[in-house]
Amino acid sequence: MNTYEIKIKGIVQGVGFRPFIYKLALSSKLNGQVSNNDEGVLIVVNCTKEQLDIFIEHIKQNPPKLSKIHHIKSHKLTSFKIYKEFKIIQSQNNNNKSTFVSPDIGVCDECIKEIKDPKNFRFKYPLTNCTNCGPRYTIIKSIPYDRINTSLKEFTLCSKCKNEYENPLDRRYHAQAIACKKCGPTITLYDKKANVVSTSSKAIKDIAKEVKKGKFVAIKGVGGFHIVCDASNKKAIDLLRLKKQRPKKPFAVMFPNLEILKGHLELNVQELKLVKSIQKPIVLLKKKSTSSLLNSISPNSTTIGGFLPYTPLHHLFFQEFQNPIIATSANLKGEPITKDLDELFEKISHLIDFVLDFNRDIINFCDDSVLRIIDKKIVNIRNSRGYAPTVFNLENNSKNILALGANQKSNISLAFGNNVVVSPYISDLDSIESIEALKRTIDTFKKFYDFKPDVIVCDLHPNYDSTKYAKELASIYKIPLISVQHHHAHILATMFEHDLKDEVLGICFDGTGLGDDGNLWGGEILKVSKESYTRLAHINNFKLLGASKAIKEPKRVALSMLFDNYSLQEVLELNLSSVKAFSNFEIKTLHSSWQKGVNAPLTSSVGRVFDAVASLIGICHVQSYEGQTGILLEELYDHNIKDAFDFEIHLKIIDINPMVRSIVKEIVKEIRNGDKINIQKTIASKFINTLVNIIYTMAKKYNLPVVLSGGVFQNKTLLSLVCKKFKENNIKYYFSSKVPLNDGGISLGQIFYAL
């Protein structure tokens, strides 16, 4: 018999790990103690070496479902200390913070059952939780995860809650956000002028009545406020679009329960599992043809983001209101989700009629995660609530590295010790508020881990706000600043996630990223290693007429491609809607800009090629949200059409101009025949098939494992077809699941480069 110390690192705090160890020790008849510390969980036990091995094996095989073990290390203490029982003791603080903050988890079935049980003292209490569910990241100020370090610090536990909190055999043992009607936070309903309307259960009944009337209510969730309205009320949805200046972008829909969701949306086995998961993400799903959901929820698309209630408050609301609701982030365009009541009244009171708040502060905002299933794998589109902070393991790292990502889909990543932590999604850095949110997030994670960077990493683009702040930080800390090319970082993120150590063929299709030659890349074929990359080929460059304005106006990209293939006079005479979208004077002026290269940077972006094709076939000349043209073209795709357009390869150039000329010929021909809808489907299908052929041709040519990355690959049709083609031809391929294919993966790729 000896005394052994066991150290466990990973996501092991706030997930019921100590009571799990306590119960395991009792069943194993071992004496000792367990505690949290800044590194994770620390166990001391009296046992034999054989008992120790069995004990550790039990820990590895059956840990708490919300935990994630990274390392278990044990050693024999030199001095033998006799323990007479097994105890859970107070958290220890050794100022070496390396445990991890757990993501927020949707309310569990046991807690839902309690709030619906009239005999339970938490009956209809909207802010209940336990060790297996509820807020984590959004309520924590610092590590270790103890109540004193959360926004529940000021709420003194009543006798009933205290008994549960102190009982190691109870599922609420040390559930730091534990509360009830008697001792916990309360809910309050306000009108738009901040007057109190009602509280408690009456507040929930009142908002249900108001939503039925077509009113807009801001409801506080785990990581911020949603603006909610009746998903069956077209007038309300149209008004919300007007108020939010969101004319076409799809809204997410929260369904009262799984059965109602299944009645409206198609689900395969994996999608069903994802919707039901403890994370409760928004999942992109296809609307059933029999669904009564309004087309105005997702204009011109049958794809809808559906999700289930993930807080007890949501469940109590749906007891009063049985319809699906629109649940969209409460924010102004270009800003992060709103988390504070005062800020909500200050900024978006014009968008709402009522506010349902509770007095448990959100310390760290966190938007909803968005995912979809492609090729039987998860594609993470927005990595946030339920999934982030996301933790990866490292080997042999001695540096503290801070990566600030890109400008779109902003997040940060930190490397320290044997760990990388990726923050939740922040927002696009399009406003002062979003930049401040980036700075606050950096400060939050520095505080969590007592983190001081040795190296700062950023994107190559000097005008990104993330790059500007990276330079500022590097100057303050007097440390090196490393710039990483955008598409190299995209590929490295996937290589890191899949632990790919050898060279790969990186195929990166996205909207924009500054290249080494000063042009805007986005249609890249790269040979990538951990240390470097070679640009093997790319889509032929074309000009963005009006620079950033062209990103919002696909008609400008279409016109530029027409200038590449036809004379000015020929363009003026073309019977195309993308030409008719301009006056003759505008076309001549833009042609002059195109000729001189004034305010017309070169790009190889496949995202912009999608824009051009959408404009050429007349379905989108002005884009109201990012990725709109991709959604519209995907909607038109016909799997029965197998043909594709021609393209040519000249040295390092993949020339798609033959495709542009073929599209124009087909449109002009079909316009004469009057078959507009059919030609749109045909061209959309042949265009996507062409991209598949380009990707396959490059993969076959270079004979390397293929890594696919960039926002364009969020297109389910494109990625599915590419994966199918690769499988048929035994080509090994990879894409990210834990971090987004879009710019939300850039900061992780930057970390990998700096390592």
Coordinates of all heavy atoms in Angstrom, one line a residue, residues 542-582:
F542 N -9.1 38.1 -62.5 CA -10.0 39.1 -63.1 C -10.2 40.3 -62.2 O -9.7 40.2 -61.0 CB -11.4 38.4 -63.4 CG -12.0 37.7 -62.2 CD1 -12.9 38.4 -61.3 CD2 -11.7 36.4 -62.0 CE1 -13.4 37.7 -60.2 CE2 -12.2 35.7 -60.9 CZ -13.1 36.4 -60.0
K543 N -10.7 41.4 -62.7 CA -10.7 42.6 -61.9 C -12.1 42.8 -61.2 O -13.1 42.5 -61.7 CB -10.5 43.8 -62.9 CG -9.1 43.8 -63.5 CD -8.9 44.9 -64.5 CE -7.5 44.8 -65.1 NZ -7.2 45.8 -66.1
L544 N -11.9 43.3 -59.9 CA -13.1 43.7 -59.1 C -13.4 45.2 -59.4 O -12.7 46.0 -58.9 CB -12.8 43.4 -57.7 CG -12.6 42.0 -57.2 CD1 -12.3 41.9 -55.7 CD2 -13.9 41.2 -57.5
L545 N -14.4 45.4 -60.2 CA -14.7 46.8 -60.5 C -15.3 47.5 -59.3 O -16.4 47.2 -58.9 CB -15.7 46.8 -61.7 CG -15.2 46.2 -63.0 CD1 -16.2 46.1 -64.1 CD2 -13.9 46.9 -63.5
G546 N -14.6 48.5 -58.8 CA -15.1 49.2 -57.6 C -14.5 48.6 -56.4 O -15.0 48.9 -55.3
A547 N -13.6 47.6 -56.5 CA -12.9 47.0 -55.3 C -13.9 46.3 -54.4 O -14.7 45.5 -54.8 CB -12.0 48.0 -54.6
S548 N -14.0 46.8 -53.2 CA -14.9 46.1 -52.2 C -16.4 46.3 -52.6 O -17.2 45.4 -52.2 CB -14.7 46.7 -50.8 OG -15.0 48.1 -50.8
K549 N -16.7 47.3 -53.4 CA -18.1 47.4 -53.8 C -18.5 46.2 -54.7 O -19.7 45.8 -54.7 CB -18.2 48.7 -54.6 CG -19.7 49.2 -54.7 CD -19.7 50.6 -55.3 CE -21.2 51.1 -55.3 NZ -21.3 52.5 -55.9
A550 N -17.6 45.6 -55.4 CA -17.9 44.5 -56.2 C -18.3 43.3 -55.4 O -19.0 42.4 -55.9 CB -16.7 44.2 -57.1
I551 N -17.8 43.2 -54.2 CA -18.2 42.0 -53.3 C -19.7 42.1 -53.0 O -20.3 41.0 -52.9 CB -17.3 42.1 -52.0 CG1 -15.9 41.9 -52.4 CG2 -17.8 41.0 -51.1 CD1 -14.9 42.1 -51.2
K552 N -20.2 43.3 -52.9 CA -21.7 43.4 -52.6 C -22.5 43.4 -53.9 O -23.7 43.3 -53.8 CB -21.9 44.7 -51.8 CG -21.3 44.6 -50.4 CD -21.5 45.8 -49.6 CE -20.9 45.7 -48.2 NZ -21.1 46.9 -47.4
E553 N -21.9 43.7 -55.0 CA -22.6 43.8 -56.3 C -22.1 42.8 -57.3 O -21.2 43.1 -58.1 CB -22.5 45.2 -56.8 CG -23.2 46.3 -55.9 CD -23.2 47.7 -56.5 OE1 -23.0 47.8 -57.7 OE2 -23.4 48.6 -55.7
P554 N -22.6 41.6 -57.3 CA -22.2 40.6 -58.3 C -22.2 41.0 -59.7 O -21.4 40.6 -60.6 CB -23.1 39.4 -58.0 CG -23.5 39.5 -56.6 CD -23.6 41.0 -56.4
K555 N -23.1 42.0 -60.1 CA -23.2 42.4 -61.4 C -21.9 43.1 -61.9 O -21.5 43.0 -63.1 CB -24.3 43.4 -61.6 CG -24.2 44.7 -60.7 CD -25.4 45.6 -60.9 CE -25.2 46.9 -60.0 NZ -26.4 47.8 -60.2
R556 N -21.1 43.7 -61.0 CA -19.8 44.3 -61.3 C -18.8 43.2 -61.7 O -18.0 43.4 -62.6 CB -19.3 45.1 -60.1 CG -20.1 46.4 -59.9 CD -19.6 47.1 -58.6 NE -20.3 48.4 -58.5 CZ -19.7 49.5 -58.9 NH1 -18.5 49.6 -59.4 NH2 -20.4 50.7 -58.7
V557 N -18.9 42.0 -61.0 CA -17.9 40.9 -61.3 C -18.3 40.3 -62.6 O -17.4 40.0 -63.4 CB -18.0 39.9 -60.2 CG1 -16.9 38.8 -60.4 CG2 -17.8 40.5 -58.8
A558 N -19.6 40.2 -62.9 CA -20.0 39.6 -64.1 C -19.6 40.5 -65.3 O -19.1 40.1 -66.3 CB -21.6 39.5 -64.2
L559 N -19.7 41.8 -65.1 CA -19.4 42.8 -66.1 C -17.9 42.7 -66.4 O -17.4 42.8 -67.6 CB -19.8 44.2 -65.7 CG -19.7 45.3 -66.8 CD1 -20.7 45.0 -67.9 CD2 -20.0 46.7 -66.2
S560 N -17.1 42.6 -65.3 CA -15.6 42.5 -65.5 C -15.2 41.3 -66.3 O -14.4 41.4 -67.2 CB -15.0 42.4 -64.1 OG -13.6 42.2 -64.2
M561 N -15.9 40.2 -66.1 CA -15.6 38.9 -66.8 C -16.1 39.1 -68.3 O -15.4 38.5 -69.2 CB -16.3 37.7 -66.1 CG -15.6 37.3 -64.8 SD -16.3 35.8 -64.2 CE -15.1 35.4 -62.9
L562 N -17.1 39.8 -68.5 CA -17.5 40.1 -69.9 C -16.5 40.9 -70.6 O -16.2 40.7 -71.8 CB -18.9 40.7 -69.9 CG -20.1 39.9 -69.4 CD1 -21.4 40.7 -69.4 CD2 -20.3 38.7 -70.3
F563 N -16.0 41.9 -69.9 CA -14.9 42.8 -70.5 C -13.7 41.9 -70.9 O -13.0 42.2 -71.8 CB -14.5 43.9 -69.5 CG -15.5 45.0 -69.3 CD1 -15.5 45.7 -68.2 CD2 -16.4 45.2 -70.3 CE1 -16.5 46.7 -68.0 CE2 -17.4 46.3 -70.2 CZ -17.4 47.0 -69.0
D564 N -13.4 40.9 -70.1 CA -12.3 40.0 -70.3 C -12.5 39.2 -71.6 O -11.5 38.7 -72.2 CB -12.1 39.0 -69.2 CG -11.4 39.6 -68.0 OD1 -10.8 40.7 -68.1 OD2 -11.6 39.1 -66.9
N565 N -13.7 39.1 -72.1 CA -14.0 38.1 -73.2 C -14.6 38.8 -74.4 O -14.7 38.2 -75.5 CB -15.0 37.0 -72.7 CG -14.3 36.0 -71.8 OD1 -13.6 35.1 -72.2 ND2 -14.4 36.3 -70.5
Y566 N -15.1 40.1 -74.3 CA -15.7 40.7 -75.4 C -15.3 42.2 -75.4 O -14.9 42.8 -74.4 CB -17.3 40.7 -75.2 CG -17.8 39.3 -75.1 CD1 -18.1 38.7 -73.9 CD2 -18.1 38.5 -76.2 CE1 -18.6 37.4 -73.8 CE2 -18.6 37.2 -76.1 CZ -18.8 36.7 -74.9 OH -19.3 35.4 -74.8
S567 N -15.5 42.8 -76.6 CA -15.2 44.2 -76.7 C -16.3 45.0 -76.0 O -17.4 44.5 -75.7 CB -15.1 44.6 -78.2 OG -16.4 44.5 -78.8
L568 N -16.0 46.3 -75.8 CA -17.0 47.1 -75.2 C -18.3 47.1 -76.0 O -19.4 47.0 -75.4 CB -16.5 48.6 -75.0 CG -17.5 49.6 -74.5 CD1 -18.0 49.3 -73.1 CD2 -16.8 51.0 -74.5
Q569 N -18.2 47.3 -77.3 CA -19.4 47.3 -78.1 C -20.2 46.0 -78.0 O -21.4 46.0 -78.0 CB -19.0 47.6 -79.6 CG -20.2 48.0 -80.5 CD -21.0 49.1 -80.0 OE1 -20.5 50.1 -79.5 NE2 -22.3 49.0 -80.0
E570 N -19.4 44.9 -78.0 CA -20.1 43.6 -77.9 C -20.8 43.4 -76.6 O -22.0 42.9 -76.5 CB -19.1 42.5 -78.1 CG -18.6 42.3 -79.5 CD -17.4 41.3 -79.6 OE1 -16.6 41.2 -78.7 OE2 -17.4 40.6 -80.6
V571 N -20.2 43.9 -75.5 CA -20.9 43.9 -74.2 C -22.2 44.7 -74.2 O -23.2 44.3 -73.7 CB -19.9 44.4 -73.1 CG1 -20.7 44.5 -71.8 CG2 -18.8 43.4 -72.9
L572 N -22.1 45.9 -74.8 CA -23.3 46.8 -74.8 C -24.4 46.1 -75.6 O -25.6 46.4 -75.3 CB -22.9 48.1 -75.5 CG -22.0 49.0 -74.6 CD1 -21.5 50.2 -75.4 CD2 -22.8 49.6 -73.4
E573 N -24.1 45.3 -76.5 CA -25.1 44.7 -77.4 C -25.6 43.4 -76.8 O -26.6 42.8 -77.4 CB -24.6 44.5 -78.8 CG -24.3 45.8 -79.5 CD -23.6 45.6 -80.9 OE1 -23.3 44.4 -81.2 OE2 -23.3 46.6 -81.6
L574 N -25.0 42.8 -75.8 CA -25.4 41.6 -75.2 C -26.8 41.7 -74.5 O -27.0 42.6 -73.7 CB -24.4 41.0 -74.2 CG -23.1 40.4 -74.8 CD1 -22.1 40.2 -73.7 CD2 -23.4 39.1 -75.5
N575 N -27.6 40.7 -74.8 CA -29.0 40.7 -74.2 C -28.9 39.9 -72.9 O -29.4 38.8 -72.8 CB -30.0 40.1 -75.2 CG -31.4 40.2 -74.6 OD1 -31.7 40.9 -73.7 ND2 -32.3 39.4 -75.2
L576 N -28.2 40.5 -71.9 CA -28.1 39.8 -70.6 C -28.6 40.7 -69.5 O -28.4 41.9 -69.5 CB -26.6 39.5 -70.3 CG -25.9 38.6 -71.3 CD1 -24.4 38.5 -70.9 CD2 -26.4 37.2 -71.2
S577 N -29.2 40.1 -68.5 CA -29.7 40.9 -67.4 C -28.6 41.6 -66.6 O -28.8 42.7 -66.0 CB -30.5 40.1 -66.4 OG -29.8 39.0 -65.8
S578 N -27.4 41.0 -66.5 CA -26.3 41.6 -65.8 C -25.8 42.8 -66.6 O -25.2 43.8 -65.9 CB -25.1 40.6 -65.6 OG -24.8 40.0 -66.8
V579 N -26.0 42.9 -67.9 CA -25.6 44.1 -68.7 C -26.7 45.1 -68.5 O -26.5 46.3 -68.3 CB -25.4 43.7 -70.1 CG1 -25.2 45.0 -71.0 CG2 -24.2 42.8 -70.3
K580 N -28.0 44.7 -68.5 CA -29.1 45.6 -68.4 C -29.2 46.2 -67.0 O -29.9 47.2 -66.8 CB -30.4 44.9 -68.7 CG -30.5 44.5 -70.2 CD -31.8 43.7 -70.4 CE -31.9 43.3 -71.9 NZ -33.1 42.4 -72.1
A581 N -28.5 45.6 -66.0 CA -28.5 46.2 -64.7 C -27.7 47.5 -64.6 O -27.8 48.2 -63.6 CB -27.9 45.2 -63.7
F582 N -27.0 47.9 -65.7 CA -26.3 49.1 -65.8 C -26.8 50.0 -66.9 O -27.4 49.5 -67.9 CB -24.8 48.9 -66.0 CG -24.1 48.1 -65.0 CD1 -23.9 46.7 -65.1 CD2 -23.6 48.7 -63.9 CE1 -23.2 46.0 -64.2 CE2 -22.9 48.0 -62.9 CZ -22.7 46.6 -63.0

